[in-house]
Amino acid sequence: MPESNEASEAPKRGRLARLVIDTRPLRRREFRLLWLGELVSETGSNIAVVALYVQVYQITGSALAVGGIGLVQFVPILLSALFGAPLVDRHDRRSILLIAHWCEAGAALLLLVGVLIGSPPLVLVYFAAALVAGSGSLAQAARAAMTPNLVTNDELPAALALNQAMWNTCLIVGPALGGVLIARFGLGIAYGLDLVTFAAALISVRLMLPHPPAHLEELKTSGPETLPEHEASEEEGWARVTAGFRYLKGRRVLQATFIVDLIAMIFGMPRALFPVLAEVQFNGGPALVGLLFSAVAVGALIGALTSGWVHRIRRQGLAVLVAVAVWGAGIVAFGVSGSSIGLALGCLAVAGGADVISAVFRNTILQRSVPDDLRGRLSGIHILVVTGGPRLGDMEAGLVATLTSPTVSVVSGGVICILAVGLLAILVPSFTNYRAPE
């Protein structure tokens, strides 16, 4: 009897294992250190994000000014992609990550000092927001370039899914906790916690081994003749900066992974309106703002934790398009949810679940398609899209809300997202039909 029970239960466990997130990459020391450090520091960063949006709305009372956060953050993100990401392909990625984290901690300290002095000028808040965006973008580029070298090729989709699970856990806990703490104790506690949690990232990265780019290590042993053609013929300076963009030329599948995310984030990300909607539509305060931020991440975390099936999907381009269309539909539903906060949070969660599936497939296509010596620069472009898109979306949402209404801004953005995805599917059939290599 025990043998027959075990035999009958084995297929059930197998099916469950294929659904639940794959945790094999966490067995690898270097990936585990990186992952755990970011888990703590990203939680603090997301506490501070709520404080930043609430603070600007308290100072100005303007949706457009809150959207302005996106504009001042987009410029340093762009500069980081152009001039910071090339450094990731030429220097030890662990050292770059340490420098970026120190800069992020400095921005958190500046925001904390601004609160402690009383009423900080808007320009100080904007400057600190710009500093944290630029240094955070550089840190992301270094982490993204390191990750494929910390795990096996077979474990890469699982590692990316674990990263999504980690980030979205932080996006749930951070904003929800931040909203409650800000409502009870004020803005200072949020910025103070952000500063303290950066210690975890600094310690974990310090414990890691140096991680120079793999192609430079090969060059030491094999000689310059082993350099890829695009690297061997490349001049220093501007040519090196633009190498990532040149690599994208003619590669329509890679281009589409960036375009589809820009569509989703510019038109379908209404986070700049959360402080306004919390007050005028749901009659809430900072605690509700935190819940709105967290709701997207709740769905994303559920999507990441049930992502064990993603490695079996071969038509990854089509999967991205479907996921982004579902994201847009979730945002439209959020916009027409009225004063029902439960329905609104549920719609944001659905959108977040779709977004994380899109992110896993887009990252997998990118990391498997790009050689190591360009991975930092392509990761920089990817982060420019992933982090810069929402910043442009902040400005778009704030501007449309100022010209019309917050509801019109949310609904129209979701509709445009759906229509644009359909158009992309028609115009770039190579992306729609893209299949993962065996």
Side-chain angles (χ1 to χ4, degrees):
M1 286 295 291
E3 291 181 1
S4 62
N5 285 341
E6 288 177 5
S8 63
E9 290 174 6
K12 295 180 181 179
R13 289 198 298 268
R15 286 193 294 270
L16 181 62
R18 289 194 294 269
L19 177 65
V20 176
I21 192 169
D22 184 353
T23 60
R24 286 177 299 158
L26 288 175
R27 300 173 188 171
R28 301 188 180 276
R29 177 184 179 274
E30 297 293 287
F31 180 82
R32 184 171 63 250
L33 282 171
L34 186 64
W35 193 87
L36 290 174
E38 295 304 316
L39 177 66
V40 177
S41 66
E42 284 292 320
T43 300
S45 296
N46 282 287
I47 291 173
V49 165
V50 178
L52 184 63
Y53 281 72
V54 169
Q55 184 176 27
V56 172
Y57 189 60
Q58 287 179 350
I59 293 172
T60 64
S62 166
L64 188 60
V66 178
I69 296 172
L71 185 62
V72 300
Q73 289 189 322
F74 179 77
V75 174
I77 290 172
L78 175 62
L79 294 176
S80 175
L82 287 175
F83 301 105
L87 299 177
V88 175
D89 290 327
R90 305 299 298 171
H91 301 282
D92 176 30
R93 289 158 178 173
R94 186 192 70 155
S95 299
I96 292 174
L97 193 53
L98 283 170
I99 294 170
H101 281 326
W102 277 113
C103 291
E104 289 179 289
L109 178 61
L110 186 60
L111 287 166
L112 177 60
V113 170
V115 172
L116 294 178
I117 64 175
S119 300
L122 183 61
V123 65
L124 175 65
V125 178
Y126 275 169
F127 175 77
L131 177 59
V132 75
S135 52
S137 177
L138 181 60
Q140 283 184 274
R143 286 197 303 270
M146 290 167 66
T147 298
N149 297 331
L150 305 181
V151 297
T152 66
N153 189 57
D154 179 62
E155 293 170 346
L156 181 57
L160 297 176
L162 282 167
N163 284 340
Q164 290 294 328
M166 177 267 290
W167 289 324
N168 284 289
T169 299
C170 299
L171 283 167
I172 295 168
V173 176
L177 180 60
V180 172
L181 291 175
I182 293 165
R184 186 174 180 86
F185 301 108
L187 297 167
I189 187 69
Y191 294 137
L193 285 173
D194 185 27
L195 181 60
V196 170
T197 56
F198 272 116
L202 289 167
I203 291 171
S204 66
V205 175
R206 178 64 70 180
L207 291 173
M208 295 178 69
L209 299 172
H211 280 277
H215 71 286
L216 294 185
E217 290 298 291
E218 294 173 3
L219 181 61
K220 290 179 181 178
T221 58
S222 303
E225 64 275 4
T226 62
L227 278 173
E229 183 179 347
H230 61 263
E231 183 78 6
S233 61
E234 190 177 295
E235 299 292 336
E236 295 292 336
W238 184 248
R240 185 172 296 281
V241 168
T242 58
F245 293 95
R246 293 201 309 274
Y247 183 79
L248 287 175
K249 185 177 180 181
R251 292 177 168 86
R252 302 200 71 188
V253 170
L254 275 179
Q255 293 171 7
T257 64
F258 297 134
I259 293 170
V260 74
D261 194 54
L262 280 174
I263 291 169
M265 293 298 102
I266 293 176
F267 298 107
M269 173 55 85
R271 65 180 189 174
L273 303 178
F274 287 168
V276 184
L277 293 170
E279 180 179 299
V280 303
Q281 184 168 328
F282 301 114
N283 298 315
L288 184 54
V289 176
L291 285 179
L292 292 172
F293 273 97
S294 295
V296 179
V298 168
L301 179 60
I302 294 172
L305 292 177
T306 56
S307 63
W309 52 272
V310 298
H311 71 279
R312 298 196 302 274
I313 301 299
R314 311 312 302 173
R315 295 193 62 181
Q316 295 180 342
L318 179 61
V320 171
L321 294 172
V322 171
V324 175
V326 173
W327 159 271
I331 296 302
V332 171
F334 166 68
V336 298
S337 61
S339 59
S340 173
I341 184 60
L343 179 59
L345 294 175
C347 293
L348 288 175
V350 170
D355 183 55
V356 79
I357 298 304
S358 166
V360 169
F361 284 123
R362 285 185 288 104
N363 272 283
T364 301
I365 294 171
L366 174 67
Q367 299 292 3
R368 282 180 170 169
S369 304
V370 178
D372 181 78
D373 58 291
L374 281 173
R375 198 169 278 150
R377 279 164 283 190
L378 266 295
S379 294
I381 298 171
H382 178 251
I383 290 160
L384 172 63
V385 170
V386 170
T387 61
R391 269 69 180 190
L392 294 177
D394 288 346
M395 198 64 202
E396 184 272 342
L399 180 61
V400 175
T402 301
L403 295 175
T404 55
S405 71
T407 299
V408 170
S409 178
V410 174
V411 174
S412 64
V415 170
I416 291 173
C417 180
I418 296 171
L419 295 176
V421 166
L423 183 61
L424 181 66
I426 296 171
L427 295 179
V428 191
S430 58
F431 183 64
T432 308
N433 298 320
Y434 173 80
R435 291 180 180 272
E438 293 293 341

